Amino acid sequence: MAFRSSFSLLRMVEVAKELTDQARILQRIDAVLRIMKVDRTYGKGRSLVDALDDVAQEAILCGDFGLAQRFQRFAGYAGGELFLEVVEAYYDEDSQQRGEELMRRMAALGADRAVAALDVLCRDNPDATASDARDLFRGIAQSASHLGVEAGEGGIRLSTREVRRLQQYGHMEILLRSLPQLASGEAVRLMGDVLADADAGLLAQFLELKARRASLAALRAAVDEPTSSESALHACLKNQEWIFGGAYVGELARRQYTPDTILDIPLLRADGSLHVVELKRANVGTLVIRRNGHLMLGALAHQAVSQAQSYLRTLDENRRTILADYGVDSRRASATIVIGHSRYVGGDITPLEVAETLRTYNTHATRIEVITYETLLDSAARMLALSSAQQDSESAQEPEEPEA
C-alpha cells in the first residue's frame, strides 16, 4: 500500500472542520490536523489513515453521513486507494470549477460535432427525419464501445491523464440525446439550457444507481470467478452497506474493537448497535452435504459460525469499554455470515436444496444468520430494480404548470 498525503488534503480537512459543531467530531479532526502539520510530508502514513477513519466513524455515530463519507474518501486517498483528483472533484472548490469548465467545453464540442454529423445527414438525405437522426446517434453510441486506442503499429500511445480525458467523452451520449431533432445553429445554446435546467436531485440519484450497479457487477464477477479469495470479495463489498439491506445506516470505519478481534465488515444499525458481517469464499463445494439421506451444513460453514460466535462473545464481554472508547453498542450484537454459492456445491445438491437447508438452519439460530453470495446478490439486485423503477416513475411525472 502506497500511503499519500498533500497540502490539498490538509486544505480539504480544514474546510471540512467548518461543517460541524459536534465536539467529538471536532476533537478527532484536530487529531488529524496535528498529525498533518508535523512535517512537510503532511503526516503521510498509517497513523493519518487511522485518524481519518476515526473521524468518519464518529461522524456516522453522530448521524452526519455526508461528513462521514467525506472523511472515508480522505482516508481512501491517504491509504493509496483513491487518486487525489477524484477526491478534489468532490470537495475542492477550485477543482470543481475547473471540472465544470471542462464539461462546458466538452458539451460545446460535442454539440458542435453533433451539428456537423446532422449537416452531413441532411446533405446526403434531404428528407431525413428526426427518427433518422436518432438512429444516427444511436449507431454512433453503439459503435463507440468497439473503438480503442492502442500502442504499436498504426496506434497512438497516450498518458493515463489523456486516456481519462477520452473516457470522459463517453458521457457525451447522454448530452447528445437532448439535442434538437434537426440541425440548428441554436444547438450549442440549447445544450447550455439543458445543462442549466437539469434536476440535480434526479441526476444524483441516477449517478448513485449507476455506481451501485457497477459495484454489484464487480461483486458478481468476483463470485463467478472460482479462485476469488476472501480479500477479493471483501474489496468488492467495502463501503457497500446498501447491499446488505436497508436496516443499516453505514459501515463503521474501525474494524478492530478488541485486541484479538478484527471484523470483516462492521455495520451500524439505526439504533446504534453493531452488526458483524463475516465473509468467506464463494467457492465452497461442501457448503451443504448429504449424510444418511439428510441435508446439513458442511464443516466450513460450522467453522464460520463458531468464529462468529467467538466474535459476539468477545464483543459482549467488552461492551462497556467499546461503548466508552468508540461510542458503539456491542452488547447483543448480531452477525451475518456470507459463504458459498449453490453453483459450487457438489453431491448433486440443487440450489433449492441449498436454500432450504440454510433456511432451516437459520430458523433455529438467534443472533447469527448464514446466507450465500447467491442470496446476497439476488436481494441486492431486487433492491436496485425497485429503486430504478421508482426513479423512472418520478422522472416521468411532469411538473404542474403554475397558475396564471
Side-chain angles (χ1 to χ4, degrees):
M1 177 181 294
F3 294 112
R4 301 189 182 111
S5 189
S6 61
F7 175 74
S8 294
L9 178 61
L10 173 62
R11 183 177 58 189
M12 287 187 287
V13 171
E14 291 175 336
V15 171
K17 183 179 178 181
E18 303 299 323
L19 302 178
T20 181
D21 57 0
Q22 296 287 336
R24 290 177 63 89
I25 298 178
L26 291 172
Q27 180 181 1
R28 296 183 185 274
I29 294 179
D30 287 337
V32 170
L33 294 175
R34 285 194 295 271
I35 293 173
M36 297 192 70
K37 293 181 178 180
V38 170
D39 53 36
R40 293 184 179 180
T41 67
Y42 298 102
K44 180 174 67 175
R46 168 52 60 187
S47 60
L48 175 60
V49 177
D50 291 341
L52 291 167
D53 279 336
D54 285 343
V55 178
Q57 171 158 313
E58 193 60 46
I60 290 175
L61 296 175
C62 293
D64 193 339
F65 302 113
L67 191 66
Q69 186 178 57
R70 182 182 295 241
F71 275 89
Q72 285 174 344
R73 286 172 173 152
F74 290 169
Y77 161 67
E81 298 174 0
L82 292 176
F83 291 108
L84 177 61
E85 62 182 20
V86 174
V87 182
E88 286 181 332
Y90 280 106
Y91 306 118
D92 183 79
E93 184 175 348
D94 292 339
S95 178
Q96 290 172 349
Q97 291 177 353
R98 291 193 299 271
E100 290 173 0
E101 178 61 26
L102 173 64
M103 289 305 298
R104 281 193 290 269
R105 293 181 180 180
M106 288 173 58
L109 177 62
D112 181 67
R113 295 295 182 269
V115 171
L118 289 171
D119 285 340
V120 173
L121 173 66
C122 294
R123 182 194 64 196
D124 296 340
N125 184 10
D127 297 327
T129 64
S131 178
D132 295 326
R134 283 195 296 270
D135 290 340
L136 170 66
F137 288 116
R138 187 177 295 112
I140 293 174
Q142 291 175 348
S143 63
S145 61
H146 301 286
L147 300 178
V149 180
E150 301 177 354
E153 184 177 355
I156 303 174
R157 191 179 299 275
L158 298 176
S159 67
T160 301
R161 180 176 294 274
E162 289 169 331
V163 170
R164 288 177 186 159
R165 290 291 181 262
L166 280 177
Q167 290 172 341
Q168 288 177 327
Y169 278 88
H171 299 296
M172 289 307 301
E173 178 188 355
I174 298 174
L175 301 178
L176 292 176
R177 292 176 182 173
S178 301
L179 283 173
Q181 294 179 347
L182 297 176
S184 168
E186 298 295 314
V188 175
R189 182 186 63 80
L190 291 177
M191 179 64 71
D193 293 341
V194 168
L195 294 175
D197 295 338
D199 188 317
L202 287 176
L203 179 59
Q205 293 176 26
F206 169 79
L207 293 176
E208 179 66 21
L209 282 174
K210 184 176 181 181
R212 290 186 175 186
R213 290 192 188 100
S215 299
L216 195 61
L219 176 61
R220 193 180 301 278
V223 171
D224 290 343
E225 172 53 54
T227 61
S228 291
S229 62
E230 294 175 16
S231 60
L233 295 166
H234 188 189
C236 295
L237 287 167
K238 185 176 182 181
N239 294 325
Q240 301 293 335
E241 65 278 354
W242 68 271
I243 290 180
F244 298 96
Y248 311 104
V249 297
E251 178 181 343
L252 294 172
R254 178 175 293 276
R255 296 173 56 199
Q256 186 169 9
Y257 294 91
T258 63
D260 56 349
T261 302
I262 299 179
L263 309 177
D264 282 349
I265 300 179
L267 300 178
L268 186 69
R269 290 184 176 275
D271 60 0
S273 61
L274 181 65
H275 183 83
V276 178
V277 176
E278 180 66 21
L279 302 177
K280 298 300 179 184
R281 292 171 63 93
N283 186 358
V284 179
T286 57
L287 174 64
V288 173
I289 60 177
R290 195 186 306 272
R291 289 285 175 82
N292 300 323
H294 298 285
L295 294 172
M296 61 187 71
L297 294 187
L300 291 177
H302 282 294
Q303 291 174 12
V305 172
S306 296
Q307 182 181 0
Q309 289 173 339
S310 178
Y311 286 167
L312 296 182
R313 183 181 65 254
T314 302
L315 292 171
D316 283 344
E317 293 171 350
N318 293 274
R319 184 250 182 175
R320 291 187 178 181
T321 301
I322 295 173
L323 186 60
D325 292 346
Y326 307 112
V328 176
D329 189 357
S330 62
R331 181 175 181 269
R332 301 296 296 172
S334 54
T336 296
I337 298 170
V338 189
I339 181 173
H341 191 291
S342 64
R343 71 165 61 204
Y344 298 117
V345 178
D348 295 328
I349 298 175
T350 67
L352 179 60
E353 290 175 323
V354 172
E356 290 179 346
T357 303
L358 287 174
R359 188 181 305 115
T360 300
Y361 180 88
N362 290 326
T363 300
H364 295 85
T366 53
R367 300 172 63 186
I368 299 175
E369 180 184 23
V370 183
I371 65 173
T372 64
Y373 284 95
E374 184 177 16
T375 298
L376 185 67
L377 287 166
D378 288 346
S379 62
R382 284 193 294 270
M383 288 177 57
L384 277 184
L386 182 62
S387 299
S388 180
Q390 181 179 2
Q391 184 189 64
D392 291 342
S393 175
E394 292 176 353
S395 61
Q397 294 178 359
E398 296 184 0
E400 296 182 0
E401 293 291 336
E403 295 183 0

